Amino acid sequence: MTKPVDYTLYTSNGDRFITINPVTEPTTGGHIQATGVFGLNEGMVDLGDIVFDDNMNQWEYSGMGDLTHLQAEEIASFIKNYHEPNAEGRAFDEHSIL
């Protein structure tokens, strides 16, 4: 994931519309490298970050109780399994975490 993605979190208290913002770093040659850090926002409210390890297996949620552990886990699972639209047409960068 290299661009912000909107995610709807369905809860018993109503739907929550979360924007997932991947934190990226520019590399030589104009490529973008993912860092494994994903900022979460609900409108103008900062919900904290989900931070993955280098292999995108383990994650931590840095928010202060804005999301339950199960909600953060649902979003982390979405991020881990996310595939960019039209993935076949983009150039492969072996150093990126997708």
Side-chain angles (χ1 to χ4, degrees):
M1 180 183 304
T2 57
K3 295 181 181 177
V5 173
D6 292 326
Y7 182 80
T8 302
L9 183 66
Y10 302 101
T11 73
S12 60
N13 295 327
D15 299 346
R16 298 181 70 181
F17 303 100
I18 311 289
T19 301
I20 303 168
N21 298 293
V23 176
T24 58
E25 295 180 350
T27 62
T28 57
H31 292 74
I32 295 174
Q33 179 172 328
T35 62
V37 178
F38 298 87
L40 306 177
N41 296 84
E42 186 172 20
M44 300 302 288
V45 177
D46 180 7
L47 299 177
D49 299 327
I50 290 182
V51 181
F52 282 90
D53 65 4
D54 290 341
N55 299 319
M56 294 290 289
N57 291 321
Q58 302 293 321
W59 59 272
E60 289 184 10
Y61 172 57
S62 70
M64 300 301 238
D66 294 316
L67 298 173
T68 67
H69 180 77
L70 289 175
Q71 291 169 337
E73 183 176 32
E74 179 181 329
I75 294 170
S77 178
F78 171 80
I79 293 168
K80 183 177 177 179
N81 296 309
Y82 182 79
H83 296 287
E84 298 277 348
N86 300 320
E88 304 81 26
R90 71 172 189 267
F92 177 70
D93 181 355
E94 65 186 40
H95 302 291
S96 291
I97 300 172
L98 298 177

Coordinates of all heavy atoms in Angstrom, one line a residue:
M1 N 0.8 -1.2 0.0 CA 0.0 0.0 0.0 C 0.9 1.2 0.0 O 1.7 1.4 0.9 CB -0.9 0.0 1.2 CG -1.8 1.1 1.4 SD -2.8 1.1 2.9 CE -3.6 -0.5 2.8
T2 N 0.7 2.1 -1.0 CA 1.5 3.3 -1.1 C 0.7 4.6 -1.1 O 1.3 5.6 -1.0 CB 2.4 3.2 -2.4 OG1 1.6 3.1 -3.5 CG2 3.4 2.1 -2.3
K3 N -0.6 4.4 -1.2 CA -1.5 5.6 -1.2 C -2.5 5.4 -0.2 O -2.9 4.3 0.2 CB -2.1 5.8 -2.6 CG -1.2 6.1 -3.7 CD -1.9 6.2 -5.0 CE -0.8 6.5 -6.1 NZ -1.4 6.6 -7.4
P4 N -3.1 6.5 0.3 CA -4.2 6.4 1.3 C -5.4 5.6 0.8 O -5.7 5.6 -0.4 CB -4.6 7.8 1.6 CG -3.4 8.7 1.2 CD -2.8 7.9 0.1
V5 N -5.9 4.8 1.8 CA -7.1 3.9 1.4 C -8.2 4.2 2.5 O -7.9 4.3 3.7 CB -6.6 2.5 1.5 CG1 -7.8 1.5 1.3 CG2 -5.6 2.2 0.4
D6 N -9.4 4.3 2.0 CA -10.5 4.4 3.0 C -11.0 3.0 3.4 O -11.1 2.1 2.5 CB -11.7 5.2 2.3 CG -11.3 6.6 2.0 OD1 -10.6 7.2 2.9 OD2 -11.8 7.2 1.0
Y7 N -11.3 2.9 4.6 CA -11.8 1.6 5.2 C -13.0 1.9 6.1 O -13.0 2.8 6.9 CB -10.7 0.9 6.0 CG -11.0 -0.4 6.6 CD1 -11.0 -1.5 5.8 CD2 -11.5 -0.5 7.9 CE1 -11.3 -2.8 6.3 CE2 -11.8 -1.8 8.4 CZ -11.7 -2.9 7.6 OH -12.1 -4.1 8.1
T8 N -14.0 1.1 5.9 CA -15.2 1.2 6.7 C -15.2 0.1 7.8 O -15.1 -1.1 7.5 CB -16.5 1.1 5.9 OG1 -16.5 2.0 4.9 CG2 -17.7 1.2 6.8
L9 N -15.2 0.5 9.0 CA -15.2 -0.4 10.2 C -16.6 -0.4 10.7 O -17.2 0.6 11.1 CB -14.2 0.2 11.3 CG -14.1 -0.6 12.5 CD1 -13.3 -2.0 12.2 CD2 -13.2 0.2 13.5
Y10 N -17.2 -1.6 10.6 CA -18.6 -1.8 11.0 C -18.6 -2.1 12.5 O -18.1 -3.1 12.9 CB -19.3 -2.9 10.1 CG -19.3 -2.5 8.7 CD1 -18.3 -3.1 7.8 CD2 -20.1 -1.6 8.1 CE1 -18.3 -2.8 6.5 CE2 -20.1 -1.3 6.8 CZ -19.2 -1.9 6.0 OH -19.2 -1.6 4.6
T11 N -19.3 -1.3 13.3 CA -19.4 -1.6 14.7 C -20.9 -1.6 15.1 O -21.7 -1.1 14.4 CB -18.6 -0.5 15.5 OG1 -19.4 0.7 15.5 CG2 -17.2 -0.3 15.0
S12 N -21.1 -2.1 16.3 CA -22.5 -2.1 16.8 C -23.0 -0.7 17.1 O -24.2 -0.4 17.2 CB -22.6 -2.9 18.1 OG -21.7 -2.4 19.1
N13 N -22.1 0.3 17.2 CA -22.4 1.7 17.5 C -22.5 2.5 16.2 O -22.6 3.7 16.3 CB -21.4 2.3 18.4 CG -21.5 1.7 19.8 OD1 -22.5 1.3 20.3 ND2 -20.3 1.6 20.5
G14 N -22.4 1.8 15.1 CA -22.5 2.5 13.8 C -21.2 2.4 13.0 O -20.1 1.9 13.6
D15 N -21.2 2.7 11.8 CA -20.0 2.6 10.9 C -19.0 3.7 11.2 O -19.4 4.8 11.5 CB -20.4 2.7 9.4 CG -21.4 1.6 9.0 OD1 -21.6 0.7 9.8 OD2 -22.0 1.8 7.9
R16 N -17.7 3.3 11.1 CA -16.6 4.3 11.3 C -15.8 4.3 10.0 O -15.5 3.2 9.5 CB -15.8 3.8 12.5 CG -16.5 3.8 13.8 CD -15.6 3.5 15.0 NE -14.7 4.5 15.2 CZ -13.8 4.5 16.2 NH1 -13.7 3.4 17.0 NH2 -12.9 5.5 16.4
F17 N -15.6 5.5 9.5 CA -14.9 5.6 8.2 C -13.5 6.1 8.5 O -13.2 7.2 8.9 CB -15.7 6.7 7.4 CG -17.1 6.2 7.1 CD1 -18.1 6.8 7.9 CD2 -17.4 5.3 6.2 CE1 -19.4 6.4 7.7 CE2 -18.7 4.8 6.0 CZ -19.7 5.4 6.7
I18 N -12.6 5.1 8.3 CA -11.2 5.2 8.7 C -10.4 5.4 7.4 O -10.6 4.7 6.4 CB -10.7 4.0 9.4 CG1 -11.6 3.6 10.5 CG2 -9.2 4.2 9.9 CD1 -11.6 4.4 11.7
T19 N -9.5 6.4 7.4 CA -8.5 6.5 6.3 C -7.2 6.0 6.8 O -6.7 6.4 7.9 CB -8.3 8.0 5.9 OG1 -9.6 8.5 5.5 CG2 -7.4 8.1 4.7
I20 N -6.6 5.1 6.0 CA -5.3 4.5 6.3 C -4.3 5.2 5.4 O -4.4 5.1 4.2 CB -5.3 2.9 6.0 CG1 -6.5 2.3 6.8 CG2 -4.0 2.3 6.3 CD1 -6.8 0.8 6.3
N21 N -3.3 5.8 6.1 CA -2.3 6.6 5.4 C -0.9 5.9 5.5 O -0.4 5.9 6.6 CB -2.2 8.0 6.0 CG -3.5 8.8 5.8 OD1 -3.8 9.1 4.7 ND2 -4.2 9.0 6.9
P22 N -0.4 5.2 4.5 CA 0.9 4.6 4.6 C 2.0 5.6 4.7 O 1.9 6.6 4.0 CB 1.0 3.8 3.3 CG 0.0 4.4 2.4 CD -1.0 5.1 3.2
V23 N 2.9 5.4 5.6 CA 4.1 6.3 5.7 C 5.1 5.7 4.8 O 5.5 4.6 4.9 CB 4.6 6.4 7.2 CG1 5.8 7.2 7.3 CG2 3.5 6.9 8.1
T24 N 5.6 6.5 3.8 CA 6.6 6.1 2.8 C 7.8 7.0 2.9 O 7.8 8.1 3.4 CB 6.0 6.1 1.4 OG1 5.6 7.5 1.1 CG2 4.8 5.2 1.3
E25 N 8.9 6.5 2.3 CA 10.1 7.2 2.2 C 10.6 7.2 0.7 O 10.5 6.1 0.1 CB 11.2 6.6 3.1 CG 10.9 6.6 4.5 CD 12.1 6.0 5.3 OE1 12.9 5.3 4.8 OE2 12.0 6.1 6.6
P26 N 11.0 8.3 0.2 CA 11.6 8.3 -1.1 C 12.9 7.6 -1.2 O 13.7 7.7 -0.2 CB 11.7 9.8 -1.5 CG 11.8 10.5 -0.2 CD 11.1 9.7 0.8
T27 N 13.2 6.9 -2.2 CA 14.5 6.3 -2.4 C 15.1 6.8 -3.7 O 14.5 7.6 -4.4 CB 14.4 4.7 -2.5 OG1 13.6 4.4 -3.7 CG2 13.7 4.1 -1.3
T28 N 16.4 6.4 -3.9 CA 17.0 6.9 -5.1 C 16.3 6.4 -6.4 O 15.6 5.3 -6.3 CB 18.5 6.4 -5.2 OG1 18.5 4.9 -5.1 CG2 19.3 7.0 -4.1
G29 N 16.3 7.1 -7.4 CA 15.6 6.7 -8.6 C 14.2 7.1 -8.6 O 13.4 6.7 -9.5
G30 N 13.7 7.9 -7.6 CA 12.3 8.3 -7.6 C 11.3 7.3 -7.1 O 10.1 7.5 -7.2
H31 N 11.8 6.1 -6.6 CA 10.9 5.1 -6.1 C 10.4 5.5 -4.7 O 11.0 6.3 -4.0 CB 11.6 3.8 -6.1 CG 11.9 3.2 -7.4 ND1 12.9 3.7 -8.2 CD2 11.3 2.3 -8.2 CE1 12.9 3.1 -9.4 NE2 12.0 2.2 -9.4
I32 N 9.3 4.9 -4.3 CA 8.8 5.0 -3.0 C 8.9 3.7 -2.2 O 8.5 2.7 -2.8 CB 7.3 5.5 -3.1 CG1 7.2 6.9 -3.7 CG2 6.7 5.5 -1.7 CD1 5.8 7.3 -3.9
Q33 N 9.4 3.8 -1.0 CA 9.5 2.6 -0.2 C 8.6 2.7 1.0 O 8.6 3.7 1.7 CB 11.0 2.4 0.3 CG 11.2 1.2 1.2 CD 12.6 1.0 1.5 OE1 13.5 1.3 0.7 NE2 12.9 0.5 2.7
A34 N 7.8 1.7 1.2 CA 7.0 1.6 2.4 C 7.8 1.4 3.7 O 8.8 0.8 3.6 CB 5.9 0.5 2.2
T35 N 7.3 1.9 4.8 CA 8.0 1.8 6.0 C 7.4 0.8 7.0 O 8.0 0.5 8.0 CB 8.0 3.2 6.8 OG1 6.7 3.5 7.1 CG2 8.7 4.2 5.9
G36 N 6.2 0.3 6.7 CA 5.5 -0.6 7.6 C 4.7 0.2 8.7 O 4.1 -0.4 9.6
V37 N 4.6 1.5 8.5 CA 3.9 2.3 9.5 C 2.6 2.9 8.7 O 2.8 3.4 7.6 CB 4.7 3.5 10.0 CG1 3.9 4.4 10.9 CG2 5.9 3.0 10.7
F38 N 1.5 2.8 9.3 CA 0.2 3.2 8.7 C -0.5 4.1 9.7 O -1.0 3.6 10.8 CB -0.6 2.0 8.3 CG 0.1 1.1 7.3 CD1 1.0 0.1 7.7 CD2 -0.1 1.3 6.0 CE1 1.6 -0.7 6.8 CE2 0.5 0.5 5.0 CZ 1.4 -0.5 5.5
G39 N -0.7 5.3 9.4 CA -1.4 6.3 10.2 C -2.9 6.1 10.0 O -3.4 5.9 8.8
L40 N -3.7 6.2 11.0 CA -5.1 6.0 10.9 C -5.8 7.3 11.3 O -5.5 7.9 12.4 CB -5.6 4.9 11.9 CG -4.9 3.5 11.7 CD1 -5.5 2.6 12.8 CD2 -5.2 3.0 10.3
N41 N -6.8 7.7 10.5 CA -7.6 8.9 10.8 C -9.0 8.6 10.6 O -9.4 7.9 9.7 CB -7.2 10.1 9.9 CG -5.8 10.5 10.1 OD1 -4.9 9.9 9.5 ND2 -5.6 11.5 10.9
E42 N -9.9 9.3 11.4 CA -11.3 9.2 11.3 C -11.8 10.7 11.1 O -11.9 11.4 12.1 CB -12.0 8.5 12.5 CG -13.4 8.3 12.4 CD -14.0 7.5 13.5 OE1 -13.4 7.4 14.6 OE2 -15.1 6.9 13.3
G43 N -11.9 11.1 9.9 CA -12.2 12.5 9.6 C -10.9 13.3 10.0 O -9.8 12.9 9.5
M44 N -11.1 14.2 10.9 CA -9.9 15.0 11.3 C -9.3 14.5 12.6 O -8.3 15.1 13.1 CB -10.4 16.5 11.6 CG -10.9 17.2 10.3 SD -9.7 17.2 8.9 CE -8.6 18.4 9.5
V45 N -9.8 13.4 13.1 CA -9.3 12.8 14.4 C -8.2 11.8 14.1 O -8.4 10.8 13.3 CB -10.4 12.1 15.1 CG1 -9.9 11.5 16.4 CG2 -11.5 13.1 15.4
D46 N -7.0 12.0 14.7 CA -5.9 11.1 14.6 C -6.1 9.9 15.5 O -6.3 10.1 16.7 CB -4.6 11.8 15.0 CG -3.4 10.9 14.9 OD1 -3.4 9.8 14.4 OD2 -2.3 11.4 15.3
L47 N -6.2 8.7 15.0 CA -6.4 7.5 15.8 C -5.1 6.8 16.2 O -5.2 5.7 16.8 CB -7.3 6.5 15.0 CG -8.7 7.1 14.7 CD1 -9.5 6.0 13.9 CD2 -9.5 7.4 15.9
G48 N -4.0 7.3 15.8 CA -2.7 6.6 16.0 C -2.2 5.8 14.8 O -2.7 6.0 13.7
D49 N -1.2 5.0 15.1 CA -0.6 4.2 14.0 C -0.7 2.7 14.2 O -0.7 2.3 15.4 CB 0.9 4.6 13.9 CG 1.2 6.0 13.6 OD1 0.4 6.6 12.9 OD2 2.2 6.5 14.1
I50 N -0.7 2.0 13.1 CA -0.4 0.5 13.2 C 1.0 0.4 12.6 O 1.2 0.9 11.5 CB -1.5 -0.3 12.4 CG1 -2.8 -0.2 13.2 CG2 -1.0 -1.7 12.2 CD1 -4.0 -1.0 12.5
V51 N 1.8 -0.3 13.3 CA 3.2 -0.4 12.9 C 3.5 -1.9 12.8 O 3.3 -2.7 13.7 CB 4.2 0.2 14.0 CG1 5.6 0.1 13.5 CG2 3.8 1.7 14.2
F52 N 4.0 -2.3 11.6 CA 4.3 -3.7 11.3 C 5.8 -3.9 11.5 O 6.6 -3.0 11.3 CB 3.9 -4.1 9.9 CG 2.4 -4.3 9.7 CD1 1.6 -3.3 9.4 CD2 1.9 -5.6 9.9 CE1 0.2 -3.6 9.2 CE2 0.6 -5.9 9.7 CZ -0.3 -4.8 9.4
D53 N 6.2 -5.2 11.7 CA 7.6 -5.5 11.7 C 8.1 -5.6 10.2 O 7.3 -5.4 9.3 CB 7.9 -6.8 12.4 CG 7.2 -8.1 11.8 OD1 6.6 -8.0 10.7 OD2 7.3 -9.2 12.4
D54 N 9.3 -5.9 10.0 CA 9.9 -6.0 8.6 C 9.2 -7.0 7.7 O 9.2 -6.9 6.5 CB 11.4 -6.3 8.6 CG 12.2 -5.1 9.2 OD1 11.6 -4.0 9.2 OD2 13.3 -5.4 9.6
N55 N 8.6 -8.1 8.3 CA 8.0 -9.1 7.5 C 6.5 -9.0 7.4 O 5.8 -9.8 6.9 CB 8.3 -10.5 8.1 CG 9.8 -10.7 8.0 OD1 10.5 -10.4 7.1 ND2 10.3 -11.3 9.1
M56 N 5.9 -7.9 7.9 CA 4.5 -7.6 7.9 C 3.7 -8.7 8.6 O 2.6 -9.0 8.3 CB 3.9 -7.4 6.5 CG 4.4 -6.2 5.7 SD 3.8 -4.7 6.4 CE 2.1 -4.7 5.9
N57 N 4.3 -9.3 9.6 CA 3.7 -10.4 10.4 C 3.1 -9.9 11.7 O 2.0 -10.0 12.1 CB 4.6 -11.6 10.6 CG 4.9 -12.3 9.4 OD1 4.0 -12.5 8.5 ND2 6.1 -12.7 9.2
Q58 N 4.0 -9.3 12.5 CA 3.6 -8.7 13.8 C 3.3 -7.3 13.7 O 3.9 -6.5 12.9 CB 4.8 -8.9 14.8 CG 5.2 -10.3 15.0 CD 4.2 -11.2 15.7 OE1 3.5 -10.7 16.6 NE2 4.0 -12.4 15.2
W59 N 2.4 -6.8 14.5 CA 2.0 -5.4 14.5 C 1.7 -4.9 15.9 O 1.4 -5.6 16.8 CB 0.8 -5.2 13.5 CG -0.4 -5.9 14.0 CD1 -0.7 -7.2 13.6 CD2 -1.5 -5.5 14.9 NE1 -1.9 -7.6 14.2 CE2 -2.4 -6.6 15.0 CE3 -1.7 -4.4 15.6 CZ2 -3.5 -6.5 15.8 CZ3 -2.8 -4.3 16.4 CH2 -3.7 -5.4 16.5
E60 N 1.7 -3.6 16.0 CA 1.3 -2.9 17.2 C 0.5 -1.7 16.9 O 0.7 -1.1 15.8 CB 2.6 -2.4 18.0 CG 3.5 -3.4 18.6 CD 4.6 -2.8 19.4 OE1 4.6 -1.6 19.6 OE2 5.5 -3.6 19.8
Y61 N -0.5 -1.4 17.8 CA -1.3 -0.2 17.6 C -0.9 0.8 18.6 O -0.9 0.5 19.8 CB -2.8 -0.6 17.8 CG -3.7 0.6 17.8 CD1 -3.8 1.5 16.7 CD2 -4.6 0.8 18.9 CE1 -4.7 2.5 16.8 CE2 -5.5 1.8 18.9 CZ -5.5 2.7 17.8 OH -6.3 3.8 17.9
S62 N -0.6 2.0 18.1 CA -0.1 3.0 19.1 C -1.2 4.0 19.6 O -0.8 5.0 20.2 CB 1.0 3.9 18.3 OG 0.4 4.6 17.3
G63 N -2.4 3.7 19.2 CA -3.5 4.6 19.6 C -3.7 4.5 21.1 O -3.3 3.6 21.8
M64 N -4.4 5.5 21.6 CA -4.7 5.6 23.0 C -6.2 5.2 23.3 O -6.9 6.0 23.9 CB -4.5 7.0 23.5 CG -3.1 7.5 23.3 SD -1.9 6.3 24.2 CE -1.1 7.5 25.2
G65 N -6.6 4.0 22.9 CA -7.9 3.5 23.2 C -9.0 3.9 22.2 O -10.2 3.7 22.5
D66 N -8.6 4.6 21.1 CA -9.6 5.0 20.2 C -10.2 3.8 19.4 O -11.3 3.9 19.0 CB -9.0 6.0 19.1 CG -8.5 7.3 19.8 OD1 -9.3 7.8 20.6 OD2 -7.4 7.7 19.5
L67 N -9.4 2.7 19.3 CA -9.9 1.5 18.7 C -9.7 0.4 19.7 O -8.7 0.4 20.4 CB -9.1 1.2 17.4 CG -9.2 2.2 16.3 CD1 -8.3 1.8 15.1 CD2 -10.6 2.2 15.7
T68 N -10.6 -0.6 19.7 CA -10.4 -1.8 20.5 C -9.3 -2.6 19.9 O -8.9 -2.4 18.7 CB -11.7 -2.6 20.7 OG1 -12.0 -3.2 19.4 CG2 -12.8 -1.8 21.2
H69 N -8.8 -3.6 20.6 CA -7.7 -4.5 20.0 C -8.3 -5.2 18.8 O -7.6 -5.4 17.8 CB -7.2 -5.4 21.1 CG -6.2 -6.4 20.5 ND1 -4.9 -6.0 20.3 CD2 -6.3 -7.7 20.1 CE1 -4.2 -7.0 19.8 NE2 -5.0 -8.0 19.7
L70 N -9.6 -5.7 18.9 CA -10.2 -6.4 17.8 C -10.4 -5.5 16.6 O -10.2 -6.0 15.4 CB -11.5 -7.0 18.2 CG -11.4 -8.2 19.2 CD1 -12.8 -8.7 19.6 CD2 -10.6 -9.4 18.5
Q71 N -10.7 -4.3 16.8 CA -10.9 -3.3 15.7 C -9.5 -3.1 15.0 O -9.4 -3.1 13.8 CB -11.5 -2.0 16.1 CG -12.9 -2.2 16.5 CD -13.5 -1.0 17.2 OE1 -12.8 -0.2 17.8 NE2 -14.8 -0.8 17.2
A72 N -8.5 -2.8 15.8 CA -7.1 -2.6 15.3 C -6.6 -3.9 14.6 O -6.0 -3.8 13.5 CB -6.2 -2.3 16.4
E73 N -7.0 -5.0 15.1 CA -6.6 -6.3 14.4 C -7.3 -6.4 13.1 O -6.7 -6.9 12.1 CB -6.9 -7.5 15.3 CG -6.5 -8.8 14.8 CD -6.8 -9.9 15.8 OE1 -7.8 -9.9 16.5 OE2 -6.1 -10.9 15.7
E74 N -8.5 -6.0 13.0 CA -9.3 -6.1 11.7 C -8.6 -5.2 10.7 O -8.4 -5.6 9.5 CB -10.7 -5.7 12.0 CG -11.6 -5.7 10.7 CD -13.0 -5.2 10.9 OE1 -13.5 -5.5 12.0 OE2 -13.6 -4.6 10.0
I75 N -8.2 -4.0 11.1 CA -7.6 -3.1 10.2 C -6.2 -3.5 9.8 O -5.8 -3.5 8.6 CB -7.5 -1.6 10.8 CG1 -9.0 -1.1 10.9 CG2 -6.7 -0.7 9.9 CD1 -9.1 0.2 11.7
A76 N -5.4 -4.1 10.8 CA -4.1 -4.6 10.5 C -4.2 -5.8 9.5 O -3.4 -5.9 8.6 CB -3.4 -5.1 11.8
S77 N -5.2 -6.6 9.6 CA -5.4 -7.7 8.7 C -5.7 -7.2 7.3 O -5.2 -7.7 6.3 CB -6.5 -8.6 9.2 OG -6.8 -9.7 8.3
F78 N -6.6 -6.2 7.2 CA -6.9 -5.6 5.9 C -5.6 -5.0 5.3 O -5.4 -5.3 4.1 CB -7.9 -4.4 6.1 CG -8.1 -3.6 4.9 CD1 -8.9 -4.1 3.9 CD2 -7.5 -2.4 4.7 CE1 -9.1 -3.3 2.7 CE2 -7.7 -1.6 3.6 CZ -8.5 -2.1 2.6
I79 N -4.8 -4.3 6.0 CA -3.5 -3.8 5.5 C -2.6 -4.9 5.0 O -2.1 -4.8 3.9 CB -2.8 -2.9 6.6 CG1 -3.6 -1.7 6.9 CG2 -1.4 -2.6 6.1 CD1 -3.2 -0.9 8.1
K80 N -2.4 -5.9 5.8 CA -1.5 -7.0 5.5 C -2.0 -7.7 4.2 O -1.1 -8.1 3.4 CB -1.5 -8.0 6.6 CG -0.6 -9.2 6.4 CD -0.5 -10.1 7.6 CE 0.4 -11.3 7.3 NZ 0.5 -12.2 8.4
N81 N -3.3 -7.8 4.0 CA -3.8 -8.5 2.8 C -4.1 -7.6 1.6 O -4.7 -8.1 0.6 CB -5.0 -9.4 3.2 CG -4.6 -10.5 4.2 OD1 -3.7 -11.2 4.0 ND2 -5.3 -10.5 5.3
Y82 N -3.9 -6.4 1.7 CA -4.3 -5.4 0.7 C -3.4 -5.6 -0.5 O -2.2 -5.7 -0.5 CB -4.1 -4.0 1.3 CG -4.6 -2.9 0.3 CD1 -5.9 -2.6 0.1 CD2 -3.6 -2.2 -0.5 CE1 -6.3 -1.7 -0.8 CE2 -4.0 -1.3 -1.4 CZ -5.4 -1.0 -1.6 OH -5.8 0.0 -2.5
H83 N -4.1 -5.5 -1.7 CA -3.4 -5.5 -3.0 C -3.8 -4.2 -3.7 O -5.0 -3.9 -3.8 CB -3.8 -6.7 -3.8 CG -3.3 -8.0 -3.2 ND1 -2.0 -8.4 -3.1 CD2 -4.0 -8.9 -2.5 CE1 -1.9 -9.5 -2.5 NE2 -3.1 -9.9 -2.1
E84 N -2.8 -3.5 -4.2 CA -3.1 -2.3 -5.0 C -4.0 -2.6 -6.2 O -3.8 -3.6 -6.8 CB -1.8 -1.7 -5.5 CG -0.8 -1.2 -4.4 CD -1.1 0.1 -3.8 OE1 -1.9 0.9 -4.4 OE2 -0.5 0.5 -2.8
P85 N -4.9 -1.7 -6.5 CA -5.7 -1.9 -7.7 C -4.7 -2.0 -8.9 O -3.7 -1.3 -9.0 CB -6.5 -0.7 -7.8 CG -6.6 -0.2 -6.4 CD -5.3 -0.5 -5.8
N86 N -5.1 -2.8 -9.9 CA -4.3 -3.0 -11.1 C -2.8 -3.4 -10.8 O -1.9 -2.8 -11.4 CB -4.3 -1.7 -12.0 CG -5.7 -1.4 -12.4 OD1 -6.5 -2.2 -12.8 ND2 -6.0 -0.1 -12.4
A87 N -2.6 -4.3 -9.9 CA -1.3 -4.7 -9.4 C -0.5 -5.2 -10.6 O 0.8 -5.1 -10.6 CB -1.4 -5.7 -8.3
E88 N -1.1 -5.8 -11.6 CA -0.3 -6.4 -12.7 C 0.4 -5.4 -13.5 O 1.4 -5.7 -14.1 CB -1.3 -7.2 -13.7 CG -2.1 -8.3 -13.0 CD -3.3 -7.7 -12.3 OE1 -3.8 -6.7 -12.7 OE2 -3.8 -8.3 -11.3
G89 N -0.1 -4.1 -13.5 CA 0.5 -3.1 -14.4 C 1.5 -2.3 -13.7 O 2.1 -1.4 -14.4
R90 N 1.8 -2.4 -12.4 CA 2.8 -1.6 -11.8 C 4.1 -2.2 -11.8 O 4.3 -3.4 -11.8 CB 2.3 -1.2 -10.4 CG 2.4 -2.3 -9.4 CD 2.1 -1.8 -8.0 NE 2.4 -2.9 -7.0 CZ 1.5 -3.7 -6.6 NH1 0.3 -3.7 -7.0 NH2 1.9 -4.7 -5.7
A91 N 5.2 -1.4 -11.7 CA 6.5 -1.9 -11.6 C 6.8 -2.5 -10.3 O 6.3 -2.0 -9.2 CB 7.5 -0.8 -11.9
F92 N 7.5 -3.6 -10.2 CA 7.9 -4.3 -9.0 C 9.1 -3.7 -8.4 O 10.1 -3.5 -9.0 CB 8.1 -5.8 -9.2 CG 8.5 -6.6 -8.0 CD1 7.6 -6.8 -7.0 CD2 9.8 -7.0 -7.8 CE1 8.0 -7.5 -5.9 CE2 10.2 -7.7 -6.7 CZ 9.3 -7.9 -5.7
D93 N 9.0 -3.3 -7.1 CA 10.2 -2.8 -6.4 C 10.4 -3.8 -5.2 O 9.7 -3.9 -4.3 CB 9.8 -1.4 -5.8 CG 11.0 -0.8 -5.0 OD1 12.0 -1.5 -4.8 OD2 10.9 0.3 -4.6
E94 N 11.5 -4.5 -5.3 CA 11.8 -5.6 -4.4 C 12.1 -5.1 -3.0 O 12.1 -5.8 -2.0 CB 13.0 -6.4 -4.8 CG 14.3 -5.6 -4.9 CD 15.5 -6.4 -5.5 OE1 15.3 -7.1 -6.5 OE2 16.6 -6.3 -4.9
H95 N 12.2 -3.8 -2.8 CA 12.5 -3.2 -1.5 C 11.3 -2.6 -0.8 O 11.4 -2.1 0.3 CB 13.6 -2.1 -1.6 CG 14.9 -2.6 -2.2 ND1 15.7 -3.5 -1.6 CD2 15.4 -2.4 -3.4 CE1 16.7 -3.8 -2.3 NE2 16.6 -3.1 -3.4
S96 N 10.1 -2.7 -1.5 CA 8.9 -2.2 -0.9 C 8.2 -3.2 -0.1 O 8.1 -4.4 -0.5 CB 8.0 -1.7 -2.0 OG 8.6 -0.5 -2.6
I97 N 7.5 -2.8 1.0 CA 6.6 -3.6 1.7 C 5.2 -3.2 1.2 O 4.8 -2.1 1.3 CB 6.7 -3.3 3.2 CG1 8.1 -3.6 3.8 CG2 5.6 -4.1 4.0 CD1 8.3 -3.1 5.2
L98 N 4.5 -4.2 0.6 CA 3.2 -3.9 0.1 C 2.1 -4.4 1.0 O 2.2 -5.3 1.7 CB 3.0 -4.4 -1.3 CG 4.1 -3.9 -2.3 CD1 3.9 -4.6 -3.7 CD2 3.9 -2.4 -2.5

